[in-house]
Amino acid sequence: MRVGLGYDVHKLVPNRDLIIGGVKIPHTLGLLGHSDADVLIHAIMDSLLGAAALGDIGKHFPDTDAEFKGISSIKLLNEVRELLSKSDYKIENIDATIIAQRPKMSPYITSMRENISEALRISIDQINVKATTEEGLGFTGIEEGISSQSICLISKI
């Protein structure tokens, strides 16, 4: 068994969609990034790639490559699943946290888990997503950005 840890952060800006866990969330601000800037999916991808010693998302999906401009991170998560499969790994579980002052994430967490489950072709009960604020502290607390952390367990098939 192998454990991987992932982290991602993106700046909140006007005139961008807020997409987290593959869910478009109504908000006045969105996340800035080369792709759709889905911090949750990016953290999960990095945890999975790290556990398999396959590098990180920057190695596989560089922000200098026009192919990935505006791409759905769910599509990239599918690619990560394929990389794990080719390396003979299966996902045991994922536990992830979204750190955001606003908006509240709880109404969207089930949909996020469903999207991740479908992309990775694993059971929804192998995926946990939770959210927290930072009580108004730091860049997430003052709503300059949103971050996410993920930890996963994988094993050889």
Side-chain angles (χ1 to χ4, degrees), residues 42 45-47 49-50 53-62 80 83:
H42 292 183
M45 289 190 299
D46 265 347
S47 69
L49 290 167
L54 294 172
D56 61 20
I57 60 174
K59 174 184 175 181
H60 296 278
F61 316 109
V80 169
L83 289 168

PDB file of all heavy atoms in Angstrom, residues 42 45-47 49-50 53-62 80 83:
ATOM      1  N   HIS A  42      -7.546  18.999  -8.480  1.00  0.00           N
ATOM      2  CA  HIS A  42      -6.091  19.113  -8.607  1.00  0.00           C
ATOM      3  C   HIS A  42      -5.383  18.491  -7.406  1.00  0.00           C
ATOM      4  O   HIS A  42      -4.381  17.783  -7.568  1.00  0.00           O
ATOM      5  CB  HIS A  42      -5.673  20.572  -8.774  1.00  0.00           C
ATOM      6  CG  HIS A  42      -6.110  21.171 -10.068  1.00  0.00           C
ATOM      7  ND1 HIS A  42      -5.781  22.454 -10.443  1.00  0.00           N
ATOM      8  CD2 HIS A  42      -6.866  20.670 -11.084  1.00  0.00           C
ATOM      9  CE1 HIS A  42      -6.303  22.714 -11.627  1.00  0.00           C
ATOM     10  NE2 HIS A  42      -6.977  21.651 -12.035  1.00  0.00           N
ATOM     11  N   MET A  45      -5.703  14.714  -7.744  1.00  0.00           N
ATOM     12  CA  MET A  45      -4.799  14.191  -8.770  1.00  0.00           C
ATOM     13  C   MET A  45      -3.368  14.135  -8.251  1.00  0.00           C
ATOM     14  O   MET A  45      -2.663  13.134  -8.460  1.00  0.00           O
ATOM     15  CB  MET A  45      -4.864  15.047 -10.037  1.00  0.00           C
ATOM     16  CG  MET A  45      -6.155  14.890 -10.797  1.00  0.00           C
ATOM     17  SD  MET A  45      -6.136  15.664 -12.440  1.00  0.00           S
ATOM     18  CE  MET A  45      -5.864  17.367 -12.062  1.00  0.00           C
ATOM     19  N   ASP A  46      -2.919  15.183  -7.572  1.00  0.00           N
ATOM     20  CA  ASP A  46      -1.552  15.188  -7.045  1.00  0.00           C
ATOM     21  C   ASP A  46      -1.352  14.124  -5.975  1.00  0.00           C
ATOM     22  O   ASP A  46      -0.288  13.509  -5.907  1.00  0.00           O
ATOM     23  CB  ASP A  46      -1.178  16.570  -6.512  1.00  0.00           C
ATOM     24  CG  ASP A  46      -0.448  17.410  -7.545  1.00  0.00           C
ATOM     25  OD1 ASP A  46      -0.016  16.864  -8.585  1.00  0.00           O
ATOM     26  OD2 ASP A  46      -0.283  18.615  -7.301  1.00  0.00           O
ATOM     27  N   SER A  47      -2.356  13.879  -5.149  1.00  0.00           N
ATOM     28  CA  SER A  47      -2.200  12.828  -4.135  1.00  0.00           C
ATOM     29  C   SER A  47      -2.082  11.452  -4.795  1.00  0.00           C
ATOM     30  O   SER A  47      -1.242  10.637  -4.401  1.00  0.00           O
ATOM     31  CB  SER A  47      -3.339  12.860  -3.109  1.00  0.00           C
ATOM     32  OG  SER A  47      -4.585  12.478  -3.643  1.00  0.00           O
ATOM     33  N   LEU A  49      -1.094  10.770  -8.000  1.00  0.00           N
ATOM     34  CA  LEU A  49       0.167  10.691  -8.724  1.00  0.00           C
ATOM     35  C   LEU A  49       1.341  10.525  -7.771  1.00  0.00           C
ATOM     36  O   LEU A  49       2.263   9.743  -8.024  1.00  0.00           O
ATOM     37  CB  LEU A  49       0.362  11.937  -9.596  1.00  0.00           C
ATOM     38  CG  LEU A  49      -0.569  12.063 -10.796  1.00  0.00           C
ATOM     39  CD1 LEU A  49      -0.506  13.470 -11.387  1.00  0.00           C
ATOM     40  CD2 LEU A  49      -0.263  11.007 -11.849  1.00  0.00           C
ATOM     41  N   GLY A  50       1.299  11.231  -6.647  1.00  0.00           N
ATOM     42  CA  GLY A  50       2.362  11.125  -5.657  1.00  0.00           C
ATOM     43  C   GLY A  50       2.446   9.737  -5.052  1.00  0.00           C
ATOM     44  O   GLY A  50       3.544   9.179  -4.884  1.00  0.00           O
ATOM     45  N   ALA A  53       4.196   7.502  -7.290  1.00  0.00           N
ATOM     46  CA  ALA A  53       5.511   8.024  -7.690  1.00  0.00           C
ATOM     47  C   ALA A  53       5.547   8.364  -9.179  1.00  0.00           C
ATOM     48  O   ALA A  53       6.515   8.090  -9.878  1.00  0.00           O
ATOM     49  CB  ALA A  53       6.627   7.053  -7.314  1.00  0.00           C
ATOM     50  N   LEU A  54       4.464   8.992  -9.654  1.00  0.00           N
ATOM     51  CA  LEU A  54       4.345   9.361 -11.065  1.00  0.00           C
ATOM     52  C   LEU A  54       4.481  10.872 -11.282  1.00  0.00           C
ATOM     53  O   LEU A  54       4.049  11.392 -12.312  1.00  0.00           O
ATOM     54  CB  LEU A  54       3.008   8.870 -11.625  1.00  0.00           C
ATOM     55  CG  LEU A  54       2.833   7.358 -11.708  1.00  0.00           C
ATOM     56  CD1 LEU A  54       1.410   6.996 -12.095  1.00  0.00           C
ATOM     57  CD2 LEU A  54       3.839   6.759 -12.691  1.00  0.00           C
ATOM     58  N   GLY A  55       5.061  11.565 -10.332  1.00  0.00           N
ATOM     59  CA  GLY A  55       5.240  13.001 -10.473  1.00  0.00           C
ATOM     60  C   GLY A  55       4.043  13.779  -9.976  1.00  0.00           C
ATOM     61  O   GLY A  55       3.410  13.398  -8.993  1.00  0.00           O
ATOM     62  N   ASP A  56       3.706  14.858 -10.681  1.00  0.00           N
ATOM     63  CA  ASP A  56       2.588  15.704 -10.273  1.00  0.00           C
ATOM     64  C   ASP A  56       1.817  16.179 -11.504  1.00  0.00           C
ATOM     65  O   ASP A  56       2.182  15.859 -12.635  1.00  0.00           O
ATOM     66  CB  ASP A  56       3.068  16.882  -9.426  1.00  0.00           C
ATOM     67  CG  ASP A  56       4.046  17.798 -10.158  1.00  0.00           C
ATOM     68  OD1 ASP A  56       4.096  17.784 -11.413  1.00  0.00           O
ATOM     69  OD2 ASP A  56       4.758  18.547  -9.486  1.00  0.00           O
ATOM     70  N   ILE A  57       0.769  16.965 -11.267  1.00  0.00           N
ATOM     71  CA  ILE A  57      -0.058  17.380 -12.400  1.00  0.00           C
ATOM     72  C   ILE A  57       0.689  18.325 -13.340  1.00  0.00           C
ATOM     73  O   ILE A  57       0.426  18.330 -14.535  1.00  0.00           O
ATOM     74  CB  ILE A  57      -1.421  17.963 -11.966  1.00  0.00           C
ATOM     75  CG1 ILE A  57      -1.271  19.197 -11.086  1.00  0.00           C
ATOM     76  CG2 ILE A  57      -2.260  16.918 -11.276  1.00  0.00           C
ATOM     77  CD1 ILE A  57      -2.590  19.888 -10.756  1.00  0.00           C
ATOM     78  N   GLY A  58       1.640  19.095 -12.820  1.00  0.00           N
ATOM     79  CA  GLY A  58       2.431  19.969 -13.679  1.00  0.00           C
ATOM     80  C   GLY A  58       3.269  19.197 -14.681  1.00  0.00           C
ATOM     81  O   GLY A  58       3.495  19.648 -15.796  1.00  0.00           O
ATOM     82  N   LYS A  59       3.720  18.015 -14.285  1.00  0.00           N
ATOM     83  CA  LYS A  59       4.497  17.166 -15.189  1.00  0.00           C
ATOM     84  C   LYS A  59       3.621  16.621 -16.316  1.00  0.00           C
ATOM     85  O   LYS A  59       4.029  16.591 -17.474  1.00  0.00           O
ATOM     86  CB  LYS A  59       5.103  16.007 -14.399  1.00  0.00           C
ATOM     87  CG  LYS A  59       5.808  14.966 -15.255  1.00  0.00           C
ATOM     88  CD  LYS A  59       6.306  13.803 -14.423  1.00  0.00           C
ATOM     89  CE  LYS A  59       6.888  12.717 -15.313  1.00  0.00           C
ATOM     90  NZ  LYS A  59       7.354  11.569 -14.536  1.00  0.00           N
ATOM     91  N   HIS A  60       2.430  16.178 -15.979  1.00  0.00           N
ATOM     92  CA  HIS A  60       1.544  15.529 -16.952  1.00  0.00           C
ATOM     93  C   HIS A  60       0.669  16.506 -17.739  1.00  0.00           C
ATOM     94  O   HIS A  60       0.303  16.226 -18.887  1.00  0.00           O
ATOM     95  CB  HIS A  60       0.666  14.488 -16.254  1.00  0.00           C
ATOM     96  CG  HIS A  60       1.450  13.369 -15.668  1.00  0.00           C
ATOM     97  ND1 HIS A  60       1.889  12.303 -16.425  1.00  0.00           N
ATOM     98  CD2 HIS A  60       1.911  13.165 -14.403  1.00  0.00           C
ATOM     99  CE1 HIS A  60       2.577  11.475 -15.639  1.00  0.00           C
ATOM    100  NE2 HIS A  60       2.597  11.970 -14.425  1.00  0.00           N
ATOM    101  N   PHE A  61       0.311  17.635 -17.100  1.00  0.00           N
ATOM    102  CA  PHE A  61      -0.611  18.593 -17.711  1.00  0.00           C
ATOM    103  C   PHE A  61      -0.068  20.014 -17.527  1.00  0.00           C
ATOM    104  O   PHE A  61      -0.674  20.823 -16.821  1.00  0.00           O
ATOM    105  CB  PHE A  61      -2.009  18.474 -17.089  1.00  0.00           C
ATOM    106  CG  PHE A  61      -2.473  17.049 -16.900  1.00  0.00           C
ATOM    107  CD1 PHE A  61      -2.566  16.496 -15.627  1.00  0.00           C
ATOM    108  CD2 PHE A  61      -2.796  16.260 -17.995  1.00  0.00           C
ATOM    109  CE1 PHE A  61      -2.985  15.182 -15.450  1.00  0.00           C
ATOM    110  CE2 PHE A  61      -3.217  14.938 -17.822  1.00  0.00           C
ATOM    111  CZ  PHE A  61      -3.304  14.400 -16.550  1.00  0.00           C
ATOM    112  N   PRO A  62       1.052  20.346 -18.152  1.00  0.00           N
ATOM    113  CA  PRO A  62       1.692  21.650 -17.904  1.00  0.00           C
ATOM    114  C   PRO A  62       0.826  22.831 -18.325  1.00  0.00           C
ATOM    115  O   PRO A  62       0.127  22.772 -19.343  1.00  0.00           O
ATOM    116  CB  PRO A  62       2.974  21.578 -18.739  1.00  0.00           C
ATOM    117  CG  PRO A  62       2.738  20.507 -19.748  1.00  0.00           C
ATOM    118  CD  PRO A  62       1.769  19.550 -19.144  1.00  0.00           C
ATOM    119  N   VAL A  80      -5.511  10.622 -15.099  1.00  0.00           N
ATOM    120  CA  VAL A  80      -4.749  10.132 -13.940  1.00  0.00           C
ATOM    121  C   VAL A  80      -5.167   8.699 -13.609  1.00  0.00           C
ATOM    122  O   VAL A  80      -4.325   7.849 -13.314  1.00  0.00           O
ATOM    123  CB  VAL A  80      -4.912  11.075 -12.724  1.00  0.00           C
ATOM    124  CG1 VAL A  80      -4.358  10.449 -11.450  1.00  0.00           C
ATOM    125  CG2 VAL A  80      -4.226  12.409 -13.008  1.00  0.00           C
ATOM    126  N   LEU A  83      -3.348   6.488 -15.935  1.00  0.00           N
ATOM    127  CA  LEU A  83      -1.936   6.356 -15.560  1.00  0.00           C
ATOM    128  C   LEU A  83      -1.758   5.371 -14.407  1.00  0.00           C
ATOM    129  O   LEU A  83      -0.848   4.541 -14.413  1.00  0.00           O
ATOM    130  CB  LEU A  83      -1.357   7.721 -15.162  1.00  0.00           C
ATOM    131  CG  LEU A  83      -1.149   8.721 -16.295  1.00  0.00           C
ATOM    132  CD1 LEU A  83      -0.852  10.107 -15.731  1.00  0.00           C
ATOM    133  CD2 LEU A  83      -0.038   8.259 -17.217  1.00  0.00           C
TER     134      LEU A  83
END
